[in-house]
Amino acid sequence: MSLTRPDLDALPAYVPGRSVPGAIKLASNEVPYGPLPGVVEAVTEAVAGVHRYPDMGVTQLRARLADKLGVDADRIATGCGSVALFEHLFRVACMPGDEAVYAWRSFEAYPIIGATTAATSVRVPNLPNHAHDLDAMAAAITDRTRIVIVCNPNNPTGTAIRRADLDAFIDRVPSNVIVALDEAYREFVTDPEVPDGLEAYGDRPNVVVLRTLSKAWGLAGLRVGYLIGAPEVVAAVRKVVTPFSTSAPAQAAALAALEAEPEMQRRVDLVVSERARVVEAVRKVYPDVPDTQANFFWLPLGDQSAEFAAACERAGVIVRAFQGDGVRVTIGTPEENDAFLGAI
């Protein structure tokens, strides 16, 4: 007799990007330029007080984010990365048997989060160009649907949805269904037609925007994410957030990073420039690489994905294979990217 839920036996575990000593890691969508100025000093100072609990309300950080985003602080919840906030959002929205609709392939944590809340995942296959099939996603909504997730740009394919298409889709979603816009890679978007979810839909009570400081802001090792939504949704999320889950060093680091926005933008610009160079070069070998608005790109290699990743590893470059679907490659420094191009 099992001591754990038998329905989880078939659930795949989350697979992080691998680190191999001596190899170049292009597997985890990290920005390669180190912590932003002031972050190490802020963390060092905060560590001296780790015998005390952190501010559970994350008051300073929420106020700083509210000022930056132009919203009231009661519309913001923070957590251990945006993925944790997705867990909390599912907990407050879904009862067992309720449905969550999302594209596939998309962020691999979605089915895990759905299963752990006993929600039913409704995966809608991506279009041939590897973007969300919004018409099919809208058609998949039923009276049991509680959440629809739009990952924009999409992880792992890098594809992005433009304003007119997203407007039309959100208009089709019933008002009693939460539209969760996963904008973990928002800072890397350069296409002016790809909307800022908060600016475009922040006035809609059923739209929730989730973002992270792990990527562009360089805090992957400290895990700080935030959610913006209607006050009643945010209040419910904050009720179920794991107490003290945003540590004191993480809060201090986030505040310091937000003060270094010009440097963050400079680094993002470097990534975007390299993105254009690398994708152009890769397409000479693999012409089917879709356009990307993230800090990574997608190689739709199907059953050859694992073999490709293994060959890259033998050349000293670690990429992220999604068995049977494709390979995601993070944009690194120019030298790291050149090593990848040499490998292929």
Side-chain angles (χ1 to χ4, degrees):
M1 177 175 165
S2 175
L3 295 175
T4 60
R5 285 169 43 186
D7 62 310
L8 298 183
D9 291 345
L11 186 67
Y14 183 89
V15 179
R18 296 173 59 242
S19 296
V20 176
I24 293 168
K25 184 183 179 186
L26 301 179
S28 295
N29 300 344
E30 300 147 332
V31 172
Y33 298 110
L36 287 166
V39 166
V40 171
E41 293 81 0
V43 170
T44 301
E45 183 177 345
V47 165
V50 294
H51 60 297
R52 304 292 188 189
Y53 283 110
D55 171 16
M56 183 172 159
V58 198
T59 309
Q60 283 186 274
L61 178 56
R62 288 173 55 236
R64 179 66 180 85
L65 287 168
D67 180 65
K68 171 180 168 54
L69 299 170
V71 300
D72 292 336
D74 67 354
R75 295 189 57 200
I76 298 174
T78 63
C80 185
S82 57
V83 65
L85 289 163
F86 263 110
E87 294 175 358
H88 306 322
L89 187 63
F90 268 68
R91 288 169 66 187
V92 302
C94 296
M95 298 287 285
D98 286 341
E99 294 176 348
V101 174
Y102 52 86
W104 197 254
R105 179 172 287 275
S106 193
F107 184 35
E108 62 185 308
Y110 297 155
I112 299 171
I113 293 168
T116 56
T117 56
T120 300
S121 286
V122 179
R123 305 185 196 183
V124 178
N126 285 326
L127 293 164
N129 67 357
H130 311 287
H132 286 27
D133 187 340
L134 294 179
D135 285 338
M137 289 175 66
I141 296 172
T142 71
D143 58 3
R144 294 173 59 195
T145 305
R146 301 298 302 136
I147 295 177
V148 177
I149 302 174
V150 176
C151 190
N152 199 33
N154 185 45
N155 178 14
T157 64
T159 52
I161 303 165
R162 291 183 161 184
R163 176 68 185 262
D165 295 329
L166 194 51
D167 283 354
F169 173 74
I170 291 177
D171 285 343
R172 295 176 63 182
V173 177
S175 61
N176 65 335
V177 174
I178 291 175
V179 180
L181 300 180
D182 187 344
E183 294 189 341
Y185 301 93
R186 172 66 206 170
E187 290 85 355
F188 301 101
V189 173
T190 55
D191 183 348
E193 294 300 314
V194 176
D196 176 309
L198 180 59
E199 290 182 2
Y201 313 109
D203 60 338
R204 303 197 184 204
N206 68 322
V207 173
V208 172
V209 178
L210 297 99
R211 294 179 181 168
T212 184
L213 299 183
S214 294
K215 311 303 182 187
W217 299 89
L219 299 183
L222 286 169
R223 310 299 297 131
V224 183
Y226 59 98
L227 172 155
I228 315 110
E232 58 271 22
V233 175
V234 172
V237 168
R238 292 183 65 207
K239 284 181 180 179
V240 302
V241 166
T242 304
F244 308 109
S245 58
T246 307
S247 71
Q251 293 183 44
L255 287 165
L258 290 169
E259 293 306 310
E261 185 166 359
E263 175 61 15
M264 179 280 292
Q265 189 60 57
R266 187 189 72 84
R267 297 179 184 193
V268 165
D269 291 344
L270 291 174
V271 171
V272 168
S273 176
E274 277 295 285
R275 180 178 75 189
R277 179 181 78 90
V278 173
V279 169
E280 180 182 6
V282 171
R283 281 176 172 160
K284 295 176 181 177
V285 185
Y286 298 98
D288 294 333
V289 173
D291 290 338
T292 175
Q293 288 291 305
N295 68 327
F296 54 85
F297 60 92
W298 179 245
L299 285 158
L301 298 177
D303 292 338
Q304 297 179 333
S305 300
E307 180 183 355
F308 178 92
C312 287
E313 183 170 341
R314 289 193 294 272
V317 180
I318 308 301
V319 297
R320 177 72 166 86
F322 295 80
Q323 183 59 35
D325 286 330
V327 174
R328 188 189 68 198
V329 184
T330 305
I331 299 297
T333 66
E335 296 76 18
E336 291 170 340
N337 298 330
D338 285 343
F340 169 76
L341 293 174
I344 69 168

